[in-house]
Amino acid sequence: MMQMISYKLTRNKNMKRIVLRVKNGLVKVSAPYHVAKSDIDKFVQINEEWIKEQLSKSTEKKAEFKEFDDDECLAKFEKLADKVFPLVADKLKTKPKLYVKNYKSRWGVCYFKRGYIILNKQLFDKEDRLIEQVILHEYVHFIVPNHSREFHKIMEKIMPDYKERRKELNK
Ligand SMILES: [Zn+2]
């Protein structure tokens, strides 16, 4: 007997054909009600090569991220944020809320209108001074939302070596 690929099946009455998707390491199949389970199995079997290729891609993607616990990240980043916030406290009324997430190509995001920042969990094993630079960067966006000259002037005034820290973080 052939080894079957396990998949999650959804029946959908509006569907005309079987649709196969691979997302986050899971194989999902949507099919119309009238298609027999054995035919769906066959369909999955036929597409085995493609599925395996997609599955290996998604594990590769996962490996780009180191596993860090949300709570541990939050605890560490909050402590650093408490250090950084006084530097901008005269301009920001309240300390922005802090969330964590994995990002591929950014260290942090600032939602200045909504009053929070999100830090990349991959910062967790970086030096404190480098994380502080990211936090300050996001905080300064509450003063200047873009990366204009004004933004960099403020950064430099508060953290004269911010460019070096940023370089170090990105190397
Ligand atoms: Zn920015």
Side-chain angles (χ1 to χ4, degrees):
M1 209 184 126
M2 274 185 288
Q3 160 104 58
M4 268 310 291
I5 291 173
S6 65
Y7 59 88
K8 187 175 183 296
L9 177 62
T10 316
R11 294 285 189 172
N12 188 323
K13 66 172 181 211
N14 296 316
M15 289 195 108
K16 299 257 182 319
R17 57 186 184 92
I18 305 172
V19 175
L20 184 60
R21 276 173 309 159
V22 178
K23 212 181 156 191
N24 302 325
L26 293 171
V27 183
K28 293 179 178 178
V29 180
S30 310
Y33 283 103
H34 63 81
V35 180
K37 178 75 164 62
S38 58
D39 286 336
I40 298 169
D41 285 346
K42 227 177 275 167
F43 183 83
V44 170
Q45 203 64 54
I46 289 165
N47 289 286
E48 194 188 344
E49 279 308 308
W50 181 83
I51 293 170
K52 284 189 173 154
E53 200 187 307
Q54 301 306 308
L55 285 171
S56 70
K57 263 190 218 162
S58 63
T59 47
E60 271 166 34
K61 219 182 230 173
K62 249 184 225 158
E64 282 173 25
F65 292 129
K66 285 191 219 165
E67 278 291 334
F68 295 118
D69 181 73
D70 280 23
D71 292 335
E72 280 178 54
C73 285
L74 276 172
K76 176 168 182 166
F77 298 163
E78 281 289 4
K79 226 160 88 189
L80 295 170
D82 283 338
K83 255 177 84 183
V84 175
F85 183 68
L87 304 173
V88 291
D90 58 330
K91 301 253 181 16
L92 276 62
K93 279 171 219 104
T94 48
K95 187 175 157 233
K97 275 210 179 95
L98 177 68
Y99 299 102
V100 294
K101 206 171 158 177
N102 275 321
Y103 287 113
K104 245 196 198 167
S105 54
R106 60 208 313 186
W107 291 117
V109 188
C110 164
Y111 291 87
F112 64 94
K113 279 184 190 155
R114 289 182 236 166
Y116 64 88
I117 66 170
I118 305 179
L119 294 180
N120 190 339
K121 285 163 70 177
Q122 302 301 307
L123 282 166
F124 187 78
D125 61 354
K126 307 289 181 202
E127 268 176 66
D128 287 0
R129 49 189 284 278
L130 305 184
I131 304 171
E132 284 164 21
Q133 187 273 137
V134 177
I135 296 172
L136 180 65
H137 179 113
E138 302 311 333
Y139 281 176
V140 171
H141 273 319
F142 283 86
I143 309 163
V144 183
N146 50 48
H147 295 124
S148 60
R149 194 174 296 178
E150 177 67 10
F151 174 89
H152 290 287
K153 246 169 70 186
I154 298 172
M155 281 298 292
E156 189 155 22
K157 206 172 143 198
I158 302 173
M159 190 182 277
D161 67 341
Y162 81 100
K163 277 187 186 155
E164 285 133 59
R165 298 195 203 193
R166 195 177 56 185
K167 229 194 251 164
E168 218 174 299
L169 184 62
N170 291 327
K171 80 179 174 207

